Amino acid sequence: MSTATVIGQALQQRLNSARELTDSIFRLLSPEALYSRPIPERHRLVFYLGHLEAFDWNLIGRKTLGVDSWSPEFDTLFEFGIDPPVGQAAADQPSDWPGVEEIQAYNRRVRARLDELVDQAPEQIIQVALEHRLMHAETLAYLLHNVPYHHKKTSVTAPLVHSSNRLVNSMIEIAPGVATLGQKRGEFGWDNEFAEHPVNVPGFRVAKYKITNGEYLDFVREGASAPHFWSRHSQHPGDRWFYRGMFAEVPLPLNAPVYVTHAEATAYARWSGKRLPTEEQFHRAAYETSNGSERPYPWGNSAPDAARGNFDFHHWDPVDVNANPEGDSASGVSQLVGNGWEWTATQFGPFPGFQPMPFYPGYSQNFFDEEHYVMKGGSPVTAACMLRRSFRNWFRPNYPYVYASFRLVED
Ligand SMILES: [Fe+2]
């Protein structure tokens, strides 16, 4: 068997399991919920059902291999969705969208055709399709998080166990040194990960743990508003707070990371007299070692596995911030990867030498607007391949729906 065939088979296998993952997320939904819009700023869920295949088809079939389409209407509808009138909220109705069977038939046809073509497309293009799908798996998860519980089929095997003894967070010294940001030429990455470059970072101190719900609760009790993921049941004795999990509300797990917006994280940092780390400080905390070298993951060189952190769809909800000591960095900082993206103080922008991907020029560039902040690390529903050191995520400072946590630094 040639090397190209082996690579082709490995990619096909990854594509199959990514398809199975997104299919399994759609299967959690009751049929009527598919046409709902759980987050006002996003499309109805039905859009994403067609979007994953339309994206793959447009990118691989049409643009890369120049194959004729049999369903240009679906290719276009599910590439962009139905745009809202300028300056207004989306006004489309469920009846504006095709039926499920029709979309599923389109999807089946796209998959069968792409499976025949996959060997002809450059590996990089298939990787783009793969990671695009896996990113949408995460987006779908947080969209589903906002679908009412009675419209979801529970897929939880056992509830997560949380400790109730309040943890003590401590600050860890990080020596001055170099953070290597970005991805090496020749390795796969999105355009915003290039070019690789070193940054000198002065010494600083970083919190061992992500900020917990318990710590944030002190801030709320002093008048800050509660995060999107919390709910308050005032009819309970003692006026209790709950965490709105994927499939059920649970009494607020005090040692789990708090999921907040960038604005909330920044306000908490100010209140506590500390700051959010910059992107390069995050890198230093996560990847530096005492001998001056850097490692691919906080724990070293080995590939991500469930003992190292809460990622890759093992759980839908966060675990306690001290649950993965095997994933600690060389300096002993915990859960830098997994259990919630980490907000940084760095605005999303191009690295020196940035060049937009010719086949998807707006992917990053459209967001270099000083209105988005870099997040690093990964959440419970971030696929393992996107836990690479150079991967960057970004959101607006007031978007409350993502699984985004934070930790603090001081000089
Ligand atoms: Fe997309």
Side-chain angles (χ1 to χ4, degrees):
M1 219 183 306
S2 75
T3 320
T5 320
V6 174
I7 293 171
Q9 283 178 352
L11 280 176
Q12 180 72 57
Q13 230 162 51
R14 288 182 62 199
L15 195 55
N16 292 348
S17 53
R19 286 170 176 170
E20 174 46 33
L21 175 64
T22 47
D23 288 351
S24 73
I25 298 174
F26 281 110
R27 285 197 296 267
L28 297 173
L29 278 173
S30 71
E32 58 274 35
L34 187 64
Y35 286 82
S36 71
R37 188 197 306 280
I39 294 183
E41 296 93 322
R42 305 301 299 253
H43 287 296
R44 292 178 189 281
L45 294 169
V46 64
F47 165 76
Y48 303 96
L49 182 65
H51 173 65
L52 296 170
E53 262 57 44
F55 180 92
D56 290 0
W57 177 251
N58 287 324
L59 176 70
I60 303 168
R62 288 174 72 181
K63 292 179 200 159
T64 306
L65 300 173
V67 181
D68 282 342
S69 193
W70 67 90
S71 182
E73 279 153 75
F74 272 32
D75 297 347
T76 307
L77 174 63
F78 289 107
E79 183 162 30
F80 305 114
I82 299 173
D83 282 333
V86 177
Q88 288 175 42
D92 61 287
Q93 297 301 311
S95 56
D96 295 333
W97 294 89
V100 180
E101 286 77 27
E102 230 187 316
I103 303 170
Q104 282 169 341
Y106 170 81
N107 289 351
R108 277 193 299 273
R109 202 159 164 191
V110 167
R111 287 183 187 186
R113 193 74 183 96
L114 285 179
D115 289 350
E116 295 163 4
L117 295 169
V118 95
D119 284 343
Q120 298 171 37
E123 190 185 333
Q124 185 206 17
I125 297 288
I126 308 293
Q127 300 250 39
V128 164
L130 253 169
E131 290 204 2
H132 171 262
R133 179 177 293 269
L134 292 169
M135 281 184 226
H136 270 291
E138 173 154 8
T139 311
L140 274 171
Y142 79 68
L143 283 163
L144 256 68
H145 209 112
N146 292 280
V147 168
Y149 293 131
H150 66 274
H151 282 310
K152 287 184 277 194
K153 292 162 212 151
T154 308
S155 80
V156 174
T157 43
L160 294 174
V161 179
H162 295 281
S163 67
S164 52
N165 293 341
R166 182 107 178 224
L167 272 177
V168 180
N169 211 339
S170 58
M171 298 302 278
I172 292 176
E173 197 79 41
I174 305 292
V178 170
T180 306
L181 305 194
Q183 179 65 296
K184 272 192 192 61
R185 289 270 172 230
E187 297 288 324
F188 178 75
W190 294 86
D191 53 5
N192 65 71
E193 294 170 57
F194 296 101
E196 190 185 56
H197 64 287
V199 179
N200 281 311
V201 186
F204 64 100
R205 283 147 49 84
V206 62
K208 177 168 176 63
Y209 298 123
K210 298 172 186 290
I211 296 301
T212 63
N213 285 318
E215 288 170 298
Y216 203 84
L217 185 57
D218 294 339
F219 186 42
V220 169
R221 285 187 172 137
E222 292 212 1
S225 54
H228 172 75
F229 285 86
W230 293 14
S231 68
R232 187 180 200 168
H233 291 201
S234 47
Q235 73 276 20
H236 270 265
D239 192 12
R240 292 180 69 191
W241 285 101
F242 285 74
Y243 168 73
R244 296 188 308 101
M246 180 63 132
F247 296 104
E249 288 195 350
V250 293
L252 193 67
L254 295 177
N255 291 328
V258 65
Y259 289 160
V260 289
T261 64
H262 187 270
E264 288 165 335
T266 307
Y268 180 93
R270 204 178 301 123
W271 175 73
S272 60
K274 298 189 173 73
R275 286 178 295 103
L276 293 183
T278 60
E279 184 172 8
E280 49 265 33
Q281 284 178 326
F282 178 94
H283 270 251
R284 287 290 297 158
Y287 307 113
E288 60 93 35
T289 62
S290 55
N291 66 13
S293 66
E294 294 168 281
R295 311 193 293 191
Y297 297 104
W299 54 85
N301 296 305
S302 52
D305 67 68
R308 309 289 191 176
N310 182 17
F311 41 66
D312 210 23
F313 286 87
H314 292 290
H315 303 294
W316 294 103
D317 286 306
V319 298
D320 286 351
V321 295
N322 61 347
N324 310 100
E326 288 181 52
D328 283 5
S329 73
S331 308
V333 185
S334 292
Q335 280 181 359
L336 285 147
V337 166
N339 212 26
W341 291 95
E342 293 201 7
W343 285 114
T344 73
T346 301
Q347 280 180 351
F348 184 55
F351 283 161
F354 168 82
Q355 283 179 327
M357 297 176 290
F359 50 85
Y360 196 171
Y363 173 71
S364 305
Q365 204 165 227
N366 289 356
F367 303 95
F368 294 158
D369 54 6
E370 301 183 357
E371 288 182 27
H372 293 79
Y373 286 86
V374 173
M375 298 195 308
K376 294 290 292 182
S379 85
V381 289
T382 304
C385 59
M386 290 179 294
L387 303 175
R388 63 175 173 271
R389 194 170 77 186
S390 56
F391 191 84
R392 310 166 82 200
N393 199 346
W394 63 93
F395 275 95
R396 287 179 187 279
N398 287 308
Y399 194 66
Y401 307 106
V402 274
Y403 304 115
S405 64
F406 69 108
R407 79 179 69 225
L408 298 175
V409 296
E410 60 188 6
D411 294 325

